[in-house]
Amino acid sequence: RVSPHSPQDEAPVSIDSVLASTPSFSSTKPTLFRERHGWCPYSERVWLTLEYGGIEYDEIRIDNTGGGQPSYFSGQTPQLHWPDGKTQGESMDLVYALDQKYNLGLKSDDEYVRECVREFSNIFPRARPSSRAAYLFQYNGEPLSRQTFEQTLQKANELLGKTDGNFFCGDDFTAADIAWAPFLERYRFQLPCLHENLYPDDVFSYFHLSDWYTAMELLPAYACRVQGDAASWRKVLNMAGFGNAGVPAELNGNIDT
């Protein structure tokens, strides 16, 4: 299924706040503040919305890893600096605002879409916060149990099976898919590194989830512009900083596959 909206023909103006001076904000298009490495899943929600909608925008990449932030930015990513000079945060608030302002057809006013967005918080497990490895690790640095991940995947699979079609709310790509996409994307490539043979896109174990992954790959704005690659999501798990006394997590052999 192809998006009715076309991604920008040209990439947005992209400024790394660590390397560049104070930017001049556009008075005609929004500016996205997102995490500079592409790790932040909440930034990805807004990034995907902008690309899906074919909205012209600029972006400023912010260091969320403890480095210095520029004087013109405060708080967390993502944020949007609107053309009227106002700044707004909170990822799904921004998704809804963009949908309504630019008529993207993401059905952000639909109650079932909103319900599926809310279900994300109910279904995904409690875990140590991390942009590189969202919902993967306990506070002691150990991975969540296999059973916990399997329950999460099964509940997501069941939610997808409640409607006909391959997306969360049926045949159409909606704000619900945007809410879930960054996290399921990471799970797809990172879970097999933590538990042997745990594949979220396994058609035999998670039929509806497997179909959803396939449908997402057919969205050019996602597959060509936003989606992270398997190797990168696996390699970030080799980095320290997940709470295990500063030591990288213990991974299985799938890290290199």
Side-chain angles (χ1 to χ4, degrees):
R1 185 179 179 85
V2 177
S3 165
H5 306 278
S6 298
Q8 297 186 72
D9 292 333
E10 297 182 1
V13 173
S14 182
I15 296 173
D16 189 327
S17 64
V18 175
L19 305 175
S21 58
T22 304
S24 297
F25 292 104
S26 173
S27 61
T28 60
K29 54 187 176 181
T31 299
L32 170 64
F33 292 100
R34 68 176 178 91
E35 184 271 326
R36 71 190 295 243
H37 299 289
W39 291 336
C40 174
Y42 302 98
S43 294
E44 184 174 330
R45 285 174 167 175
V46 185
W47 184 16
L48 175 55
T49 304
L50 289 162
E51 288 290 344
Y52 176 81
I55 300 167
E56 290 190 0
Y57 70 98
D58 295 332
E59 68 174 18
I60 298 174
R61 290 172 285 127
I62 300 293
D63 186 353
N64 276 357
T65 60
Q69 292 188 346
S71 59
Y72 54 82
F73 179 84
S74 63
Q76 301 294 318
T77 57
Q79 293 181 29
L80 272 184
H81 184 278
W82 294 97
D84 64 4
K86 295 179 181 178
T87 300
Q88 182 180 359
E90 297 297 331
S91 62
M92 289 311 299
D93 289 346
L94 293 173
V95 172
Y96 297 149
L98 287 166
D99 182 32
Q100 293 160 14
K101 179 176 179 60
Y102 294 99
N103 299 314
L104 304 183
L106 295 173
K107 301 183 179 180
S108 58
D109 289 330
D110 183 276
E111 181 52 37
Y112 187 67
V113 171
R114 295 281 184 127
E115 179 182 338
C116 287
V117 172
R118 290 191 294 269
E119 278 299 294
F120 170 81
S121 297
N122 295 329
I123 290 175
F124 259 65
R126 294 183 180 276
R128 186 177 188 272
S130 171
S131 61
R132 291 170 289 163
Y135 297 97
L136 289 183
F137 293 97
Q138 304 173 57
Y139 279 84
N140 65 2
E142 295 298 315
L144 298 174
S145 70
R146 183 187 189 96
Q147 181 182 22
T148 296
F149 289 132
E150 289 176 338
Q151 290 175 346
T152 300
L153 296 174
Q154 188 57 49
K155 289 177 181 179
N157 188 66
E158 291 171 359
L159 182 60
L160 279 160
K162 288 184 177 181
T163 59
D164 295 330
N166 294 331
F167 294 105
F168 274 94
C169 299
D171 289 324
D172 296 323
F173 176 77
T174 69
D177 300 287
I178 288 175
W180 284 78
F183 303 92
L184 289 175
E185 172 189 319
R186 288 153 178 75
Y187 264 26
R188 183 183 190 182
F189 302 124
Q190 292 178 329
L191 290 194
C193 300
L194 302 177
H195 294 287
E196 195 74 32
N197 297 320
L198 181 56
Y199 297 104
D201 55 355
D202 180 4
V203 67
F204 298 106
S205 299
Y206 312 109
F207 176 80
H208 301 295
L209 195 48
S210 176
D211 281 350
W212 179 85
Y213 280 117
T214 300
M216 289 296 293
E217 295 279 2
L218 297 177
L219 290 175
Y222 175 69
C224 300
R225 290 295 185 99
V226 176
Q227 182 184 25
D229 64 273
S232 295
W233 285 130
R234 290 166 180 151
K235 287 178 180 177
V236 296
L237 294 180
N238 277 320
M239 302 169 65
F242 300 116
N244 191 17
V247 178
E250 183 176 345
L251 308 172
N252 62 42
N254 288 325
I255 192 71
D256 296 319
T257 61

